[in-house]
Amino acid sequence: MTTSEILKTTDHRPWKLPTGNWKYYQEWNDAVFLHWEVEYSELRKFIPENIEIDLFDGKPWVSLVAFKMEKIRPKNLPSFPPVSNFDEINIRTYVKFNNKSGVYFLSIEAGSKISSQIAKSLSKLPYRYSKMNRQEIHYQSFNAEYSDNFEMAYQIGQKQTEKTKIDKWLVERYALFQDDKGHTNEFEIHHIEWPTYKVELKKLMIDYPRFGNLLSSSPTLAHYSPGVQVIAWGKKKL
């Protein structure tokens, strides 16, 4: 789809498109979502007090999303594959700020050192470099600084023709909130509704010591998506 076609597809959004010009184009492709229902008291340790934890039926959730970041570029410039394309793993939870629902990143790992450094510098998001090896249905990552290990093998199942309420609550998020030196930054995005498929996990090993009991080898839910084209607006200091 062209960017103008994406911007005209808005019926699925929870609020209107942001005003002002968008700033970045990117693609989030070949994505595996792993979701865990977690204990509020455990999660609260990792979230700034001024950011409200969003709940589904009274429970918070944490997700790990492993995907390919591709074709990321500023609005009026072409992408540069050595920087624009890289594997990424983010660990996120679901929050509210100023009555708007969004996500909050506990961690973002990139498989490219230079891309990680640039993304962290521009966005102030918690990017870090991890060694990654991704093949068709296998994903492996290791970070020496934090002793983080991740390995997954999976099989893609049937497309979900109808999403449940929890499916939409977990994947259809159009804002990001992140703390930065005493204030909160907001990032707004837009894309078409995620096409999602069932996924069967053939192997899953997760060891992120600093997150304690938030992640385990048995996620509550999982999804696969071939991806979406994403339009992003600039960072907004709140």
Side-chain angles (χ1 to χ4, degrees):
M1 297 178 71
T2 65
T3 54
S4 59
E5 289 171 331
I6 296 168
L7 289 168
K8 290 176 182 176
T9 308
T10 60
D11 288 347
H12 60 294
R13 287 182 57 88
W15 59 82
K16 292 182 179 180
L17 288 173
T19 56
N21 293 323
W22 59 273
K23 197 168 183 180
Y24 295 102
Y25 173 87
Q26 54 201 275
E27 296 181 12
W28 301 341
N29 292 325
D30 203 15
V32 179
F33 296 80
L34 308 178
H35 312 283
W36 291 265
E37 189 180 87
V38 299
E39 292 299 323
Y40 183 92
S41 59
E42 282 292 310
L43 180 59
R44 185 75 266 181
K45 301 172 187 176
F46 300 95
I47 312 299
E49 286 298 326
N50 66 315
I51 296 179
E52 178 186 354
I53 295 175
D54 201 359
L55 306 175
F56 185 87
D57 287 346
K59 281 286 192 176
W61 288 70
V62 168
S63 300
L64 182 150
V65 188
F67 65 103
K68 295 177 182 176
M69 176 74 85
E70 295 186 302
K71 300 181 182 178
I72 185 169
R73 60 174 177 82
K75 182 177 181 179
N76 296 315
L77 292 174
S79 61
F80 180 56
V83 174
S84 301
N85 300 345
F86 53 92
D87 292 317
E88 180 171 315
I89 295 173
N90 65 56
I91 299 172
R92 71 190 201 181
T93 190
Y94 302 91
V95 299
K96 289 182 177 179
F97 197 88
N98 288 348
N99 295 316
K100 186 181 288 184
S101 60
V103 301
Y104 176 91
F105 286 126
L106 303 176
S107 166
I108 308 177
E109 300 171 83
S112 162
K113 279 187 179 180
I114 183 67
S115 300
S116 175
Q117 291 168 352
I118 292 172
K120 186 172 185 177
S121 175
L122 291 175
S123 68
K124 307 303 180 185
L125 294 174
Y127 269 93
R128 57 199 173 92
Y129 167 70
S130 292
K131 291 183 179 179
M132 293 188 186
N133 178 19
R134 181 162 194 176
Q135 299 172 13
E136 187 175 355
I137 55 170
H138 182 263
Y139 210 130
Q140 194 167 16
S141 173
F142 172 69
N143 182 277
E145 181 181 359
Y146 292 96
S147 299
D148 292 340
N149 276 284
F150 173 77
E151 186 174 5
M152 170 178 65
Y154 58 93
Q155 181 175 323
I156 303 165
Q158 293 183 331
K159 186 174 183 179
Q160 290 185 288
T161 54
E162 290 188 24
K163 296 189 184 77
T164 64
K165 288 183 179 179
I166 185 62
D167 292 332
K168 291 185 177 182
W169 188 87
L170 288 165
V171 301
E172 300 301 331
R173 295 275 166 160
Y174 297 90
L176 156 66
F177 302 101
Q178 204 75 30
D179 52 316
D180 178 25
K181 296 179 181 178
H183 65 270
T184 300
N185 291 325
E186 178 187 45
F187 303 78
E188 291 212 57
I189 63 163
H190 175 65
H191 51 73
I192 65 167
E193 187 172 336
W194 281 96
T196 56
Y197 292 70
K198 295 181 179 179
V199 62
E200 180 184 354
L201 298 173
K202 297 294 187 180
K203 179 179 183 179
L204 182 61
M205 187 279 293
I206 300 179
D207 185 18
Y208 284 75
R210 62 203 171 100
F211 295 135
N213 298 322
L214 292 181
L215 307 174
S216 71
S217 57
S218 300
T220 314
L221 285 174
H223 300 92
Y224 170 82
S225 179
V228 289
Q229 299 167 267
V230 181
I231 293 168
W233 282 258
K235 177 175 62 181
K236 182 180 178 182
K237 183 176 177 180
L238 302 179

